[in-house]
């Protein structure tokens, strides 16, 4: 390193002493055209996808969003069907199984654009794609893929069942038990809470322990079909926000699943859950990114047509500082999300980056939603303009799929490992 630094210093001194004409060729040779593309660059197909999803969200979801939010029924079946018809529920499923055969970044584009308009709709699509579809694609047998993936791509909603009343952030302290029977099947007893999509799901990915004495090594993943005897769906939760998403408790009372409904291997459920949730964090980060962008656009559009003291609100310097700073933070959040996704797609470690993206996007979403209410003034505090809805929607970003404190612990743990390895 010393010799290289010395050589560079001498080269710099020589160039400074040289005449301008002599320096020009050396300068040109020293700075070849870069082959790197900007981190926020998307392919032409991805831009077309983004435009198509945005158009669908604005034309099909936006007119229903207020009604869905104020009711207690969640998304109507007709809207869910339209989302399937658009191909948004099988983005990464192979075309052989009726999916779109696209990539993870394409999936995030769908989530982001839906979340701009209604984050509650986006989370249904997110969970379905990044958790259930991904787990089946990575760990399912050929028979399981043939049975479930074509339906998951075209008509059947799915549900990811891990949280329990006694195991929230400590997700693997679960108490739901699966006892192996003489014929090789498993009998499941227990309950789950905060289960998204449960009301509409046709299949549930259920995590239960086959032996609590083994700790996380006893956790196993099971595919449970809707309508299986012993499966009960509880009431829908009356939530603060993301009310388009249907969240319920579920319980298992001597529910029997065949052995061929085990996903992966017995005792390997922890690996399946942790890997899928690491990826899922990027999806939730993208949901919050979309919310932040939607709130920002809503607020700026209002300020550009609202006049006070003889000038448009957005022209006031104090307000300009606010939206300039927020624009910068949204751009940083965008880069965190898609960098984590690019690392994942490249097969490189991404756990730290996923946690950073989820943590920061949750923070930016809260700030954007809060400023949006302020920028609307008095009407922002009413239900008329929709600003207060995004304000309620954003809070979940710091809670589910790992609270903000859990993300900080993950980031710190990864940083410590990096330093220990030096």
């Amino acid at each position: 390193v010393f010799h290289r630094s010395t050589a560079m210093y001498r080269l710099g001194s020589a160039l400074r002493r040289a005449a301008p004409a002599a320096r020009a060729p050396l300068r040109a040779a020293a700075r070849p055209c870069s082959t790197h593309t900007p981190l926020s660059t998307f392919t032409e197909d991805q831009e077309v996808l983004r435009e198509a999803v945005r158009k669908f969200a604005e034309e099909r979801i936006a007119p229903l969003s207020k009604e869905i939010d104020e009711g207690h029924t969640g998304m109507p079946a007709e809207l869910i069907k339209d989302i399937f018809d658009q191909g948004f529920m099988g983005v990464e499923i192979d075309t052989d199984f009726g999916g779109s055969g696209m990539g993870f970044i394409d999936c995030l584009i769908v989530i982001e654009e839906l979340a701009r308009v209604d984050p509650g709709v986006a989370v249904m699509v997110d969970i379905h794609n990044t958790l259930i579809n991904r787990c089946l694609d990575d760990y399912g047998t050929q028979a399981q893929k043939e049975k479930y993936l074509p339906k998951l791509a075209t008509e059947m909603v799915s549900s990811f069942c891990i949280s329990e009343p006694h195991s929230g952030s400590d997700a693997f302290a679960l108490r739901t038990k699966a006892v192996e029977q003489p014929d090789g099947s498993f009998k499941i007893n227990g309950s789950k809470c905060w289960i998204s999509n449960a009301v509409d799901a046709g299949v549930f990915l259920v995590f239960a322990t086959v032996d609590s004495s083994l700790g996380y090594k006893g956790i196993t993943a099971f595919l449970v079909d809707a309508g299986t005897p012993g499966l009960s769906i509880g009431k829908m939760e009356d939530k603060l926000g993301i009310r388009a998403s249907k969240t319920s408790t579920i319980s298992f009372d001597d529910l029997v699943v065949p052995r061929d409904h085990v996903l992966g291997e017995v005792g390997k459920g922890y690996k399946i859950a942790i890997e899928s949730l690491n990826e899922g964090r990027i999806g939730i980060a993208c949901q919050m990114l979309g919310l932040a962008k939607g709130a920002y656009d809503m607020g700026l559009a209002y300020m550009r047509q609202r006049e006070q003291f003889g000038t448009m609100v957005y022209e006031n310097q104090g307000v300009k500082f606010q939206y300039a700073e927020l624009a910068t933070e949204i751009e940083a959040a965008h880069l965190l999300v898609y960098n984590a996704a690019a690392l994942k797609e490249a097969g490189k470690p991404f756990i730290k980056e996923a946690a950073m993206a989820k943590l920061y996007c949750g923070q930016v979403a809260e700030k954007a939603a809060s400023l949006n209410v302020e920028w609307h003034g008095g009407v922002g505090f009413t239900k008329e303009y929709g600003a207060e809805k995004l304000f309620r929607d954003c809070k979940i970003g710091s809670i589910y799929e790992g609270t903000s404190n859990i993300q900080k612990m993950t980031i710190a743990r990864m940083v410590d490992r990096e330093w220990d390895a030096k």
Side-chain angles (χ1 to χ4, degrees):
V1 174
F2 172 78
H3 292 303
R4 177 177 174 80
S5 299
T6 303
M8 292 302 294
Y9 173 78
R10 289 172 179 167
L11 175 59
S13 298
L15 286 173
R16 285 192 293 273
R17 290 192 301 269
R23 292 203 305 266
L26 287 172
R27 185 180 296 118
R31 298 191 179 182
C33 226
S34 175
T35 58
H36 294 291
T37 57
L39 291 178
S40 56
T41 296
F42 296 95
T43 66
E44 183 178 346
D45 287 345
Q46 288 170 337
E47 294 293 358
V48 170
L49 173 65
R50 184 181 294 278
E51 184 179 340
V53 181
R54 184 174 298 188
K55 185 173 187 292
F56 174 84
E58 291 175 348
E59 295 180 358
R60 185 70 180 91
I61 298 174
L64 300 175
S65 189
K66 187 175 188 294
E67 178 184 347
I68 294 172
D69 178 66
E70 294 179 350
H72 187 51
T73 56
M75 269 178 287
E78 297 79 9
L79 178 56
I80 295 174
K81 181 181 182 302
D82 287 349
I83 291 170
F84 270 109
D85 290 344
Q86 292 294 316
F88 299 159
M89 298 293 270
V91 179
E92 293 185 86
I93 292 177
D94 194 274
T95 54
D96 290 342
F97 296 114
S100 301
M102 303 173 82
F104 184 49
I105 290 177
D106 303 290
C107 183
L108 294 181
I109 290 171
V110 173
I111 294 166
E112 180 190 333
E113 290 301 325
L114 293 177
R116 272 180 179 262
V117 171
D118 196 316
V121 174
V123 75
M124 179 193 74
V125 176
D126 174 28
I127 291 169
H128 186 87
N129 279 283
T130 67
L131 297 183
I132 315 300
N133 292 354
R134 171 51 51 202
C135 286
L136 267 165
D137 192 53
D138 287 346
Y139 295 99
T141 64
Q142 187 64 24
Q144 289 171 341
K145 291 178 181 180
E146 291 174 356
K147 177 180 179 179
Y148 291 107
L149 288 180
K151 292 181 180 179
L152 291 170
T154 58
E155 61 178 339
M156 186 169 71
V157 177
S158 61
S159 192
F160 188 86
C161 309
I162 192 167
S163 295
E164 297 184 3
H166 299 282
S167 57
S169 293
D170 187 10
F172 300 110
L174 50 83
R175 299 182 182 180
T176 298
K177 296 187 183 302
V179 179
E180 188 171 2
Q181 305 299 296
D183 63 356
S185 64
F186 290 85
K187 184 178 289 187
I188 301 178
N189 283 280
S191 63
K192 301 288 182 179
C193 61
W194 313 119
I195 304 305
S196 301
N197 304 347
V199 173
D200 298 308
V203 63
F204 300 79
L205 182 55
V206 178
F207 293 86
T209 180
V210 297
D211 187 344
S212 56
S213 68
L214 296 175
Y216 73 88
K217 293 183 179 180
I219 297 173
T220 303
F222 300 90
L223 292 164
V224 176
D225 294 327
T228 301
L231 173 65
S232 300
I233 311 299
K235 68 177 181 66
M236 276 180 55
E237 300 290 349
D238 191 7
K239 305 192 302 293
L240 170 72
I242 58 166
R243 293 171 63 85
S245 172
K246 303 172 186 178
T247 308
S248 307
T249 57
I250 63 174
S251 59
F252 314 99
D253 184 13
D254 288 341
L255 181 147
V256 177
V257 292
R259 192 176 190 86
D260 62 5
H261 280 224
V262 171
L263 183 66
E265 302 176 31
V266 173
K268 300 296 184 182
Y270 170 83
K271 176 179 171 62
I272 294 173
I274 202 70
E275 289 186 359
S276 61
L277 289 171
N278 284 333
E279 177 176 331
R281 286 172 177 172
I282 306 176
I284 297 301
C286 201
Q287 178 205 22
M288 291 296 109
L289 173 65
L291 188 158
K293 290 183 177 181
Y296 180 84
D297 289 347
M298 182 189 296
L300 203 55
Y302 181 81
M303 290 192 294
R304 294 182 74 87
Q305 57 87 31
R306 170 75 169 166
E307 183 178 320
Q308 290 287 278
F309 303 106
T311 185
M312 294 298 179
V313 172
Y314 84 97
E315 293 180 329
N316 289 281
Q317 186 184 58
V319 174
K320 283 184 178 293
F321 287 173
Q322 286 180 323
Y323 67 75
E325 185 176 82
L326 181 57
T328 304
E329 292 170 344
I330 290 174
E331 180 67 13
H334 175 97
L335 294 173
L336 278 171
V337 167
Y338 287 100
N339 179 61
L343 288 171
K344 185 264 174 188
E345 289 279 75
K348 296 181 179 180
F350 66 92
I351 295 174
K352 180 182 72 174
E353 289 76 10
M356 287 176 168
K358 185 181 183 298
L359 171 65
Y360 190 67
C361 287
Q363 294 170 344
V364 172
E366 287 194 23
K367 181 174 180 178
S370 181
L371 282 173
N372 183 32
V373 172
E374 292 181 27
W375 291 341
H376 277 78
V379 297
F381 204 66
T382 71
K383 291 181 178 290
E384 181 180 357
Y385 281 73
E388 62 83 36
K389 176 186 178 297
L390 293 179
F391 186 69
R392 288 184 286 108
D393 287 343
C394 74
K395 193 58 194 175
I396 192 63
S398 62
I399 299 173
Y400 64 3
E401 289 209 33
T403 65
S404 290
N405 280 342
I406 290 294
Q407 305 312 313
K408 292 175 184 178
M409 290 172 64
T410 299
I411 295 164
R413 184 172 63 250
M414 300 305 294
V415 170
D416 290 343
R417 287 181 184 175
E418 291 169 0
W419 274 86
D420 290 343
K422 288 183 178 180

